[in-house]
Amino acid sequence: MEEINHVAVLDFGSQYTQLIVRRVRELGFFAKLYQPEDLAEIGKPGAIILSGGPMSTSHPDAPDIDFELLKGYGVPVLGVCYGMQLLNIKFGGSVEASDRREYGPAGLYPVACEGLYEGITDKSQVWMSHSDTVKNLGESCKVIAKNQHGTPVSLQWGESFYGIQFHPEVTHSHEGTRILHNFLLTAKELEPFRIEDFKRELIENIKKTVGDKQVVCGVSGGVDSTVLAVLLNEAGVNVRAIFVDQGLMRKNEAEEVKNNFHRLGVEIEAIDASKLFLGALAGEPDPEKKRVIIGNLFIDVFWDTVGNAEMLAQGTLYPDVIESASNDKSKASKIKTHHNRVDRILELQKQGKVLEPLAELFKDEVRELGHSLGIPDDILNRHPFPGPGLAVRCPGEITLERLNVIRDCDAIFINALKEHGWYDKVWQAYAGLIPVKTVGVKGDERSYEWATNLRAVISEDAMTADWVELPPSLLREVSNKILNEVSGINRVLYDISTKPPASIEWE
Ligand code: XMP
């Protein structure tokens, strides 16, 4: 959607580049990542940022930029680290190679409290990560900030080209976001991002691409696929939404998903494949093998139902796209990794028949889009739920009895979180099974029963997570209810492990 007024971020390979995109979006502007060689295809940007990168500008394979083309856009440009050094060379200056790396905090001393440094205090901490340094300044270049040793760390060439040697996008640069914002404010043609405009563009694009073809999409009840199906519906597309119940959903979830879609005016085809899945999983304790069985079977059931789909829509999000793009520098967006047998999808993708309308959005933006599509908050604020469902919360062999025990414990826990106002405060919560029998007393007899683990975490992106300090009274209430009502459980444990080293799920 190059038509959308945006900030083009050119990726020179720094590990922080995706964060620049994220920060710009947090500041209320649309941003997209491009490879430098695609500079001609960035549409009409309102500003351009050249990211950092691991190479030295003097390396024969160092990534380059078409400077005439860059200047031709006539918009403000910010070079970060490698980006700054490259700009200095393009303006006729030089860069000194060095084997020594400067890594860590430094103090920032703006020459004047204006432009990029409007409102920035002296000695503000910024984060450095570079080896090479600027030597001779390029044409029409002035130093606009130095570090504590008086070394230039920020340059300006002419009216609208800026460079910074530090990383404004990382939180260790304490006023980095403000500096980025100040830069964006110099971009007179840059307009704030409005999800309503984006939605309109998306719908126009979908109509144009799809025409009167039928589009198939899989729905799980999760946020992404729900927003996707409702968006297609809103675009007036002939959509076939398929929900595969693999028998690994939570208590009453299949019914809930059907009802939710009914409320949203999207009729879904629900396929009860639970017997098939449980049959295939029977007797298999190995976590990886269980995942493969579930992934393959899911694709089989889905494609058996779909037959010859003309088009397929997927709820791929921007982090999936940029992750795979920066991994292999390919522009093609990738299919989510739990789709193991992807040949058929790849074929459709080659033919341009895979639609990924959410592929430019982050999760919170998908929620915002869902909101503007009229999807109620109780659906949009659902916790993430893994593709393999309860299988990853049931270590060892999966049986219907074990799944039902998990379902009962989980329903009690989740309901209590909702009743006490904790559900929306945590990123994800669930009850799982520890299929180890320990001794307890029931009536007058000793009994040997399983344990359940309660897990509630906060996280920003699921890469790291911390356990939530739930009130002991809430935990006590949940524990009492589970021990009284769920047969097969005589112990309730609360998981107090951070990720890393633990993970959110148990398998
Ligand atoms: P972990 O357990 O790796 O989970 O800390 C991180 C997040 O990913 C979810 N998860 C999955 N989602 N397919 C998915 O679609 C999977 O195989 C899968 N495994 C874990 C998990 O629920 C958490 O939100």
Side-chain angles (χ1 to χ4, degrees), residues 223 263 367 370-371 374-382 423-424:
V223 176
R263 266 160 81 196
R367 285 208 171 94
H371 198 70
I375 302 176
D377 283 348
D378 64 305
I379 299 179
L380 292 177
N381 296 337
R382 280 170 61 118
Y423 184 84
D424 288 335

Side-chain angles (χ1 to χ4, degrees), residues 274-307:
S274 46
K275 288 210 172 72
L276 199 61
F277 276 82
L278 294 194
L281 286 165
E284 180 55 72
D286 183 84
E288 283 313 313
K289 287 190 185 143
K290 288 197 289 189
R291 264 172 199 276
V292 171
I293 292 171
I294 295 165
N296 286 346
L297 204 48
F298 183 90
I299 303 262
D300 287 345
V301 172
F302 184 78
W303 285 107
D304 283 352
T305 311
V306 165

Side-chain angles (χ1 to χ4, degrees), residues 291 338 384-388 392-393 427-428 462 499 503-505:
R291 264 172 199 276
H338 60 274
F385 187 61
V392 295
R393 300 175 181 174
W427 159 275
Q428 196 169 6
K499 173 183 180 175
S503 51
I504 296 176
E505 306 291 353

